[in-house]
Amino acid sequence: MKAKLEHILRQCLESCFETGGLVRTPIPDFVVEIPNNPEHGQFATNLPMTLASSQKRPPREIAGVIVEALREKHPLLEKVEIAGPGFLNFTIRLEEWNRVLAEIITLGPDYGRSDLGAGERILVEFVSANPTGPLHLGHGRGAALGDSLCRILSFCGFEVAREFYINDAGLQIRLLGESIYSRWRQRRDPAAPFPEGGYMGGYIETLASEIDEIDALDALDPDEAVERCAEFGRQRMLEEIRSDLEAFRTTFDIWVSEKALVASGLLDEVLERTRARGDLYEQDGAWWIKTTLFGDDKDRVIRKNDGQFTYFATDIAYHLDKWKRGFTRAVNIWGADHHGYVQRVKAALMANGLEEDWLSVILIQLVKLWEGGTEIRMSKRAGTYVTLRELMDEVGVDATRFLFLVKNHDSPLDFDLDLARKQDSDNPVYYVQYAHARICSVFRKAAEEGMSLPEEPLEVLGRLELEEERALVRFLARFPSLLADVCGSHEPHRVPYYLTELASAFHKYFNLGTRIPEHRIVTRDAPRTQARLCLAAGIRTVLQNGLLLLGVHAPERM
RNA sequence: GCGCCUGUAGCUCAGUUGGACAGAGCAGCGGACUUCUAAUCCGCAGGCCGGGGGUUCGAAUCCUCCCAGGCGCGCCA
């Protein structure tokens, strides 16, 4: 509806230009929005004010010209008013709103789907954990965010690829191997040394006993044995990560191995190209890339003086590989502790001829865990951290995902275990789910009374006479533009907020019937009941579609 | 020291990309079940939007300077 209105306004301006009512100028950026104050209409625009300077006329006068031009056409509009310093306030005809509701019922699971992305190919890389240990809460937050964003983008017509980058080339994997090998040796010789900075978690011991059963490490020299342990650990941890993510309802299309990437020779190609452009130089026996040419604060080493490539080098190669695979845009979801790398990666990509905004990086802040009013401190090195798996087992996937998604990614998240465990309405996920279950229950009741949805919703929707009902219809109409906004802002947290607000409006409406029987959905008045069932069906559809985009179930009973 | 993020009710956070009088949930107090599910709803109370200055018709939102907190500033990965 908002998009329609914007379109109408543009058309209207064009006709004002043609008739000479307004001087032809470029159309400025203006907004159509839903005012907080209902007295300001169902929609409002600041268009006249944005035109004031180029037209050299007072906003209210311009508004008058526009209103005059609108008056003739557009059956959509019930009322247009000039208000305040030069706003236009719109009221849409009731029939139009009812048409939207009828459409929601027809579209069902497709309501909100769009071709906004026009098939644009976009690569979303997220989680990308080192396969050196189980996933922790930070990964969970990234998984929920990335997965939900992907669901929304593809619902809106983007062709999305979900990718997990496996950091399996560096010293971390070697250290994993050493840690496992050490634990294996300690099974016989408790005095065997444990590597400095090694992985302390109990899962290392599990891996050690697993490998003991299938592999004769005794027969190998230590170096080979560590190698074997590393490969075994990598493999097992990847399996575990993959199955944990699947349990978390997060799947990936592509798993890229850093090791394979390094072996592919792409790195040499990148270096050659960078050298050819003159953005590579040697100093102190190392190779440097001139990232300062593209907004970085200092140049960066990509090959150390010992001949080893830095992590940064493979990162550049990796991102160029994404580009070569034909994606017109890339989104990375990183922990906020990596923010220092954003500019240098972008700089390196620009040095290779890419546009700066080809890559956008979403940084997610830390997750802190709270229980009984105190913070549970976690340390990966010491192996004292709560895993995503434990959290899922403890509070369930629905609550975990919802609580991760409900906050903006750039503010730190306090995860309250006590709250997450609660099976009541304090827990926002149940509040929303309950609204859905309640509607399902209403339909069961209606069926008992022999009532169901009408064949032709438009014939009965005129019976939605309560202001609460009409406001609900208008609220449902916002869903598509909400999703469009999320595609642009990469802020899925707006969806749970919207759903919570919708659930609240529904619960409020439902409760009208507890005092006044005529306000119940199912009454003896058949046409009115049918109209209200339409409304309930519309709400149910939006709740279902919205929850699905969050990866949260919509239960029929609770 | 430099860079990024954050600062809104006692607590946790929204705030439609600069709009009209600042919102919600929890916590507190007081109410509503012979019901389509009370996992719900209604009412009361609670604010110098960290602070100062600026930009304009208009600022929680943009600029600038402070203050406080988090994170990052390796030829580590």
Side-chain angles (χ1 to χ4, degrees), chain A residues 195 222 409 430 461 518:
Chain A
H409 58 80
Y430 294 112
L461 289 181
E518 298 82 59

Side-chain angles (χ1 to χ4, degrees), chain A residues 75-229:
Chain A
L76 212 63
L77 301 173
E78 171 84 28
K79 198 166 63 175
V80 183
E81 288 173 319
I82 303 169
F87 289 101
L88 288 178
N89 294 340
F90 301 96
T91 304
I92 307 292
R93 287 171 61 95
L94 191 58
E95 292 77 11
E96 291 301 322
W97 291 116
N98 286 340
R99 213 183 295 279
V100 172
L101 178 54
E103 192 183 288
I104 295 172
I105 293 168
T106 306
L107 291 174
D110 288 326
Y111 177 60
R113 192 180 282 282
S114 69
D115 61 354
L116 180 74
E120 183 179 345
R121 296 190 63 210
I122 176 164
L123 180 76
V124 182
E125 181 216 325
F126 59 112
V127 186
S128 294
N130 289 345
T132 54
L135 296 172
H136 54 66
L137 299 191
H139 296 128
R141 189 178 187 184
L145 182 82
D147 176 68
S148 188
L149 183 61
C150 287
R151 287 171 191 244
I152 293 166
L153 287 169
S154 63
F155 201 60
C156 292
F158 290 88
E159 194 183 319
V160 180
R162 307 149 157 258
E163 185 156 297
F164 188 115
Y165 181 60
I166 310 164
N167 286 114
D168 56 1
L171 294 170
Q172 300 298 331
I173 293 289
R174 174 80 190 177
L175 193 56
L176 173 70
E178 285 170 4
S179 304
I180 296 169
Y181 183 58
S182 163
R183 292 298 187 218
W184 177 81
R185 287 180 58 196
Q186 287 174 355
R187 292 161 67 83
R188 281 137 234 227
D189 172 14
F194 191 74
E196 195 181 334
Y199 294 98
M200 304 288 282
Y203 66 95
I204 296 291
E205 280 147 51
T206 308
L207 289 171
S209 49
E210 280 178 14
I211 197 170
D212 187 53
E213 284 168 25
I214 58 169
D215 224 337
L217 294 183
D218 304 288
L220 304 172
D221 70 66
D223 213 45
E224 267 179 313
V226 165
E227 196 61 40
R228 192 70 61 89
C229 285

